[in-house]
Amino acid sequence: MKKIKILLFVLLGWISLTSAQGKEFTYQDIIFNSYGKLAPKNLSQLNWVKGGDFYYYVSGDSLILSSLDNTRKVITLNDVNASVNDLGIDSLRYFPRIKEIKDSRIYFLTNNNFLSFDYEKNKLRIINKLPKNSENIFPSPNKTMTAYTIKNNLYLSTQDSPEIPIISEADSNIVSGQSVSRNEFGITHGIFWSPKSDKIAFYQKDESAVTNYPLVDITTRPAHLKNIKYPMNGQGSEVVSVGVYDIATGKTVFLKTSGEKNQYLTCVTWGPEAKYIYIAHLNRLQNRMRLVKYDAISGDEVKELFTESSDKYVEPEHDLVFFPGKPDKFLWYSERDGWQHLYLYNTEGKLLKQVTKGEWAVLGIAGFTSKGDVLFYATKDSPIEENLYKASLATGKVQRVTAANGVHRVKFNSSNGLLIDNYTNLKTPRVINIIDENGKTIKNLLTAKNPIKDYKLGKQRVFTIKNAEGTTLYCRITYPVDFDSTKIYPAIVYVYGGPHVQLVKNRWGYGRYAFWFQKMAQKGYFVFTLDNRGSDNRGLAFEQATWHHLGTKEIEDQLTGVKYLKSLPYIDSTRFGVFGWSYGGFMTTSLMLRTNNTFKVGVAGGAVIDWRYYEVMYGERYMGTDATNHEGMEESSLLNYVRNLKGKFLMVHGTMDPTVVWQHTLMFLSKATHLNKRLDYYPYVGSQHGVYGIDAVNLYQKLTEYFLNNL
């Protein structure tokens, strides 16, 4: 292997967080305070009042409305609750999650009631009263109706009728109005209101061919089976269709989608005039996508606009984005040139131009300026940052909007052209400003103080190294508290390594993982993280390098990181540990078994062990099936490497995990027993893919002590 070349050794400099007070993180801090009182201060629910210059946020039990000149109005929870009992509903215990504020009305959901509160008249009104067992609740754009599901069926609530059945199927295999394809392809829900609030498009999935997968619930006497639908790699999958319900007629038509039975339907988008629906069709192999335009009244296919194909996979994840006032033009996200960029099309399928271009990725669209420029997040200046830019459709010029480096989130107000810019970076806990379209700061709303300044913290550094192929890899290292370069320290590698995740970014670190890193730094450990090939936001070649061979390239890159660590005179090369969850659990297990005992101690949570036992959508995209990629499946199956286990190894898994089913690590445990290989195993009874609450306190105490006792 070529000698590792250290690049940008002090890429972002030393991030000095050392404090004089020297408090230590408790497990309660890690689990219960890491997103609460020890997280950087924020302005809860901060957003613009629709159609005006006021912005709002929630502080305690009050809603604050404010203008640029500091004109303020405060609406308290008592104001809202004053008329609650008159409506026959329970009082609110905290200020609800706001859907929208417009024309002095606050719209919100609480206890399955869709309500509005007119703060000028101090009047609360029930818009729609929903059944108690309602789920997937979506109010209409005009805020007069609500669509929702009960079990597998879809309903509508109007001001006159609270429970109008849209789909009423006795067969529980026919599911309407819910997310499909296990939330892959950017799919998060199954109800799509038309812009005019006159129709509802919805997903329907037929799960008849999907295997029932048993989860055991031990909370009853005796325990009972809770079956879920789990489409396992290479086996029967759901059949998806899209229906359109016309509120005026009460009739439903299903779009006449052509294509194979087990195709995926995603990017469901209404045209601005509500005449057409656009859908991306993706074949089950996931290597060919067709964008198709449908008539929303008849359900007929109008036109196939264009196709995209790949020798690996195509991944349509974003809805079409139409231009304000131009219903015949839309933006389409595509990685067709190797990086995710924006392409301008008309509704006849003609490509008008590629809007953005370069070796960087567009991550999302924030809005459109008064001149028609598109505002978007991108990695243009750094792959570890998310800054806001604007692109001129006329000239193609791209201009950066946000000034500070880091990770930005904005709320754009099309009424006045201003943005609420909420950003963070490694040195900045949080700053919130109102800025204009050119990035000029108009008003500072918040500059958060360091919430962990009283804790004893290890220094952090973000930098790059290169692997044997010359590919740049981003790394983050946390040094032990009171680091002494003349001493020798153990190191723990925290790993994820899978698609759609990027761990190393220029942002303030908080949350349970970040605080656990610091706890281990307080205990005298280095903690190291590297984003290997296959992780996110580095272009298609980087992301697809692991295709059909998950675990192999990732191991190579993680060992590049280990080689770098070994080059440091103050790290003990015989005392490496590794920890990860989910795909990170797969990687942890891989690193324990496939690296010639490089790691002395490992902890794997919710680990994938064999991709044949993972779900259809994700598993087949990255690994194919056993029939199409048997060699790759065998190479990545960790059951084939159990014999290599020599170090101290702890596996943990939630017994009700619906994502990486418990069967994965149980198979591993069984194989290890048969081979007389010793490992430690701990099931979290009743937990799903994550472990929360008091169980998480137990987990992090166990995790910490496992490294302290064995590394």
Side-chain angles (χ1 to χ4, degrees):
M1 183 180 288
K2 296 178 182 178
K3 183 179 179 181
I4 299 170
K5 182 178 180 182
I6 309 301
L7 291 182
L8 302 178
F9 189 80
V10 193
L11 179 71
L12 290 168
W14 285 95
I15 310 304
S16 181
L17 299 172
T18 304
S19 115
Q21 298 300 317
K23 290 175 64 176
E24 291 198 5
F25 285 101
T26 66
Y27 296 110
Q28 286 73 21
D29 287 335
I30 293 171
I31 302 306
F32 298 120
N33 298 330
S34 57
Y35 290 100
K37 68 179 184 181
L38 294 181
K41 185 179 178 182
N42 204 350
L43 297 179
S44 177
Q45 301 198 52
L46 177 64
N47 209 336
W48 294 100
V49 173
K50 191 168 183 179
D53 293 334
F54 275 74
Y55 58 90
Y56 66 86
Y57 59 94
V58 173
S59 178
D61 64 355
S62 298
L63 174 70
I64 314 297
L65 291 100
S66 183
S67 66
L68 294 178
D69 62 4
N70 294 321
T71 301
R72 288 164 60 90
K73 185 172 182 64
V74 178
I75 298 98
T76 68
L77 191 59
N78 287 336
D79 295 332
V80 179
N81 278 332
S83 54
V84 158
N85 294 331
D86 295 339
L87 297 175
I89 59 177
D90 295 334
S91 297
L92 282 65
R93 292 186 296 173
Y94 51 85
F95 219 95
R97 178 62 55 180
I98 296 167
K99 290 290 184 181
E100 183 179 276
I101 300 181
K102 182 181 179 182
D103 298 332
S104 78
R105 291 184 177 88
I106 306 166
Y107 296 92
F108 58 94
L109 284 162
T110 181
N111 296 323
N112 283 1
N113 297 303
F114 184 43
L115 309 173
S116 72
F117 178 73
D118 189 324
Y119 55 79
E120 296 293 345
K121 299 178 180 178
N122 276 346
K123 184 176 181 181
L124 186 69
R125 183 170 70 94
I126 297 178
I127 300 173
N128 301 127
K129 195 172 181 66
L130 311 179
K132 292 295 183 184
N133 54 345
S134 303
E135 297 179 305
N136 302 297
I137 299 169
F138 284 86
S140 60
N142 66 5
K143 307 297 184 296
T144 63
M145 298 168 286
T146 302
Y148 61 95
T149 65
I150 297 177
K151 295 183 178 179
N152 62 307
N153 289 316
L154 178 63
Y155 297 85
L156 174 68
S157 176
T158 68
Q159 292 170 328
D160 298 323
S161 303
E163 195 170 343
I164 301 171
I166 296 175
I167 295 292
S168 184
E169 277 280 354
D171 184 354
S172 61
N173 287 307
I174 309 300
V175 181
S176 299
Q178 298 184 26
S179 180
V180 300
S181 305
R182 293 183 67 82
N183 298 325
E184 293 292 328
F185 316 111
I187 297 169
T188 58
H189 58 278
I191 295 172
F192 309 88
W193 278 96
S194 70
K196 297 182 178 180
S197 300
D198 61 341
K199 297 179 182 64
I200 303 169
F202 60 91
Y203 277 128
Q204 185 176 90
K205 57 183 175 181
D206 182 347
E207 297 184 304
S208 301
V210 180
T211 304
N212 283 329
Y213 192 91
L215 303 177
V216 179
D217 185 348
I218 69 161
T219 61
T220 60
R221 179 174 181 258
H224 70 277
L225 285 181
K226 177 183 177 183
N227 283 319
I228 62 170
K229 291 291 187 178
Y230 195 94
M232 204 165 273
N233 188 303
Q235 297 185 350
S237 188
E238 62 194 32
V239 177
V240 177
S241 56
V242 176
V244 182
Y245 176 75
D246 189 310
I247 293 170
T249 66
K251 295 181 179 180
T252 298
V253 299
F254 281 86
L255 302 185
K256 299 167 187 175
T257 52
S258 59
E260 62 185 47
K261 183 179 180 181
N262 287 138
Q263 68 182 327
Y264 304 106
L265 303 178
T266 187
C267 309
V268 176
T269 309
W270 281 95
E273 296 178 328
K275 295 179 180 178
Y276 303 106
I277 295 175
Y278 300 81
I279 296 180
H281 293 235
L282 186 67
N283 62 338
R284 179 157 173 174
L285 285 176
Q286 302 184 46
N287 60 7
R288 186 172 187 271
M289 185 280 303
R290 301 183 299 125
L291 186 65
V292 183
K293 178 180 180 180
Y294 290 93
D295 186 299
I297 301 294
S298 66
D300 292 336
E301 180 177 321
V302 176
K303 189 174 185 179
E304 180 179 286
L305 300 188
F306 57 84
T307 65
E308 291 188 14
S309 60
S310 168
D311 60 350
K312 294 183 175 67
Y313 56 83
V314 181
E315 205 169 1
E317 294 185 289
H318 300 275
D319 296 350
L320 289 68
V321 180
F322 283 87
F323 279 82
K326 296 180 179 179
D328 62 335
K329 292 182 176 63
F330 64 88
L331 289 171
W332 175 255
Y333 294 78
S334 175
E335 290 184 289
R336 65 183 65 164
D337 74 348
W339 296 83
Q340 183 161 276
H341 283 294
L342 300 176
Y343 294 79
L344 178 63
Y345 277 90
N346 68 21
T347 50
E348 294 302 308
K350 181 181 179 181
L351 175 61
L352 302 179
K353 68 182 303 181
Q354 182 174 349
V355 177
T356 60
K357 192 172 185 178
E359 293 187 354
W360 46 273
V362 172
L363 305 178
I365 294 174
F368 297 90
T369 71
S370 57
K371 296 179 180 179
D373 297 342
V374 57
L375 294 161
F376 62 93
Y377 303 102
T379 62
K380 187 175 186 300
D381 289 299
S382 171
I384 64 170
E385 295 185 354
E386 298 179 25
N387 294 300
L388 188 74
Y389 302 82
K390 62 180 178 181
S392 168
L393 294 181
T395 66
K397 179 183 177 182
V398 173
Q399 177 184 335
R400 181 163 163 174
V401 176
T402 50
N405 294 333
V407 174
H408 293 257
R409 290 292 179 269
V410 305
K411 301 283 188 180
F412 180 60
N413 187 348
S414 58
S415 298
N416 59 16
L418 298 180
L419 304 100
I420 297 171
D421 176 27
N422 187 330
Y423 76 87
T424 175
N425 58 46
L426 284 163
K427 296 182 179 180
T428 306
R430 187 183 311 281
V431 172
I432 305 177
N433 292 324
I434 293 179
I435 63 175
D436 65 18
E437 295 172 5
N438 296 313
K440 179 182 176 182
T441 299
I442 306 300
K443 183 179 181 180
N444 174 255
L445 303 185
L446 173 70
T447 299
K449 296 179 180 179
N450 181 355
I452 52 175
K453 62 181 177 60
D454 294 333
Y455 285 76
K456 187 185 294 185
L457 302 168
K459 294 179 180 179
Q460 292 184 339
R461 185 163 57 86
V462 171
F463 58 99
T464 64
I465 61 178
K466 283 192 174 183
N467 65 11
E469 298 180 6
T471 303
T472 299
L473 305 172
Y474 282 81
C475 313
R476 179 185 61 243
I477 192 168
T478 303
Y479 282 66
V481 170
D482 300 325
F483 168 67
D484 182 344
S485 63
T486 66
K487 295 182 179 180
I488 304 296
Y489 300 88
I492 297 170
V493 173
Y494 172 69
V495 63
Y496 184 82
H500 294 295
V501 172
Q502 183 183 14
L503 296 178
V504 182
K505 286 192 173 185
N506 182 15
R507 63 184 170 196
W508 183 261
Y510 69 97
R512 60 165 66 176
Y513 287 131
F515 287 1
W516 183 76
F517 299 162
Q518 289 292 349
K519 185 172 186 65
M520 297 313 293
Q522 291 172 346
K523 299 295 184 181
Y525 289 77
F526 278 91
V527 182
F528 176 81
T529 296
L530 176 149
D531 281 328
N532 52 246
R533 281 170 292 174
S535 56
D536 210 12
N537 297 332
R538 293 292 306 280
L540 210 55
F542 188 93
E543 294 161 12
Q544 292 188 338
T546 61
W547 182 73
H548 272 201
H549 296 277
L550 295 183
T552 300
K553 297 292 185 184
E554 300 97 315
I555 289 173
E556 292 176 9
D557 289 350
Q558 291 296 330
L559 288 181
T560 299
V562 169
K563 186 175 181 180
Y564 162 72
L565 293 175
K566 286 183 175 181
S567 73
L568 302 176
Y570 36 77
I571 289 184
D572 187 341
S573 62
T574 67
R575 297 171 67 197
F576 283 105
V578 59
F579 165 54
W581 201 277
S582 193
Y583 198 102
F586 165 69
M587 283 300 302
T588 295
T589 310
S590 299
L591 291 167
M592 288 294 295
L593 302 179
R594 297 180 63 186
T595 62
N596 195 27
N597 303 307
T598 297
F599 294 89
K600 184 179 179 182
V601 181
V603 180
V608 175
I609 297 300
D610 190 318
W611 290 101
R612 283 168 282 218
Y613 292 80
Y614 199 62
E615 64 184 38
V616 165
M617 297 80 187
Y618 185 106
E620 292 183 5
R621 180 188 318 135
Y622 300 119
M623 282 296 292
T625 65
D626 196 45
T628 62
N629 183 32
H630 179 73
E631 179 184 354
M633 286 289 190
E634 285 294 299
E635 178 189 46
S636 68
S637 175
L638 299 177
L639 297 175
N640 294 327
Y641 306 97
V642 179
R643 69 180 72 88
N644 298 337
L645 180 61
K646 290 186 178 180
K648 291 290 293 183
F649 189 36
L650 169 64
M651 279 187 157
V652 297
H653 211 131
T655 65
M656 298 289 283
D657 192 334
T659 305
V660 181
V661 293
W662 193 17
Q663 184 174 2
H664 280 271
T665 55
L666 288 176
M667 291 190 303
F668 188 93
L669 184 61
S670 177
K671 184 72 174 285
T673 302
H674 294 157
L675 294 175
N676 197 25
K677 290 290 180 179
R678 310 288 179 83
L679 72 145
D680 297 303
Y681 192 88
Y682 197 93
Y684 277 89
V685 179
S687 288
Q688 298 191 20
H689 195 48
V691 179
Y692 300 98
I694 196 65
D695 285 4
V697 173
N698 177 278
L699 167 64
Y700 274 78
Q701 184 171 355
K702 188 184 309 298
L703 168 66
T704 303
E705 292 175 351
Y706 201 77
F707 283 113
L708 293 178
N709 293 335
N710 297 295
L711 185 62

